[in-house]
Amino acid sequence: MGGHGIVGGHLPLAAGIGFAIRYRGGDQVCACFFGDAAVNIGAFHEALNMSSVYRTPVIYVCENNKYGMGTAFERVAAVTDVAEHACSYDMAAELVNGMDVLEVYGAAQRAVARARRHGHPTLLEVRTYRFMGHSMSDPTHGVYRTKEEVEEEKRRDPIVRLASQLQAEGALDRAAYDTLDAEVLAEAEAAVHFAEESPDPGPEQLAAHVLAE
Ligand SMILES: Cc1ncc(C[n+]2csc(CCOP(=O)(O)OP(=O)(O)O)c2C)c(N)n1
Ligand SMILES: [Mg+2]
């Protein structure tokens, strides 16, 4: 449903989408992604509460990469285990190693099953790391973390880990990996090209998809 400029602003939208799915009797599941910085925004707590009260099929996925912009999560959060918040809202939760693709896949499957079979929401805290700066204005590690920390975390790169796991199991050879890598790069580059070449939307588009048309 798009990206959102306001940190945490989309969590109540996810609760609403979940309610719409339930109301219409659909079998869709709404997956809502947000950073650790969103956890201390009021909308996070309101959305989790409403989703639990209304039993909506929503998966709240917190990508906890230890920093909100340049602020260490532990400096601003009284509760640093995000998954613990779920018990305040009688919601299922899992703490997941986000550097392990298969672990994330397993947790996502369990959350989808919970949503589809029982209409229950889930909070997934996915522990991960940001290898690049937060934005164009943030150099790779800024002053809030060390170069060594970034380099150390890069050793846990989930894509590299999965590739070596698949290679060890004989499921992927070097050539197949390189082809896949080139395909994904080309797809990303094509998307950037499409965005850069597309005309800016006109003012008449401002309220599109905001209100029922
Ligand atoms: C309500 C609000 N406050 C401040 C900002 C400025 N801001 C943009 S991104 C960001 C931090 C986001 O951190 P996090 O959610 O952890 O995402 P990450 O980039 O680490 O994935 C902030 C404070 C904003 N967009 N919205
Ligand atoms: Mg973050």
Side-chain angles (χ1 to χ4, degrees), residues 65-67 99 127-131 145 149-150 153:
N65 60 7
K66 300 187 185 176
Y67 300 95
M99 304 308 246
R127 296 255 173 106
T128 181
Y129 198 77
R130 190 205 302 137
F131 296 151
R145 56 183 186 171
E149 179 182 308
V150 179
E153 291 284 349

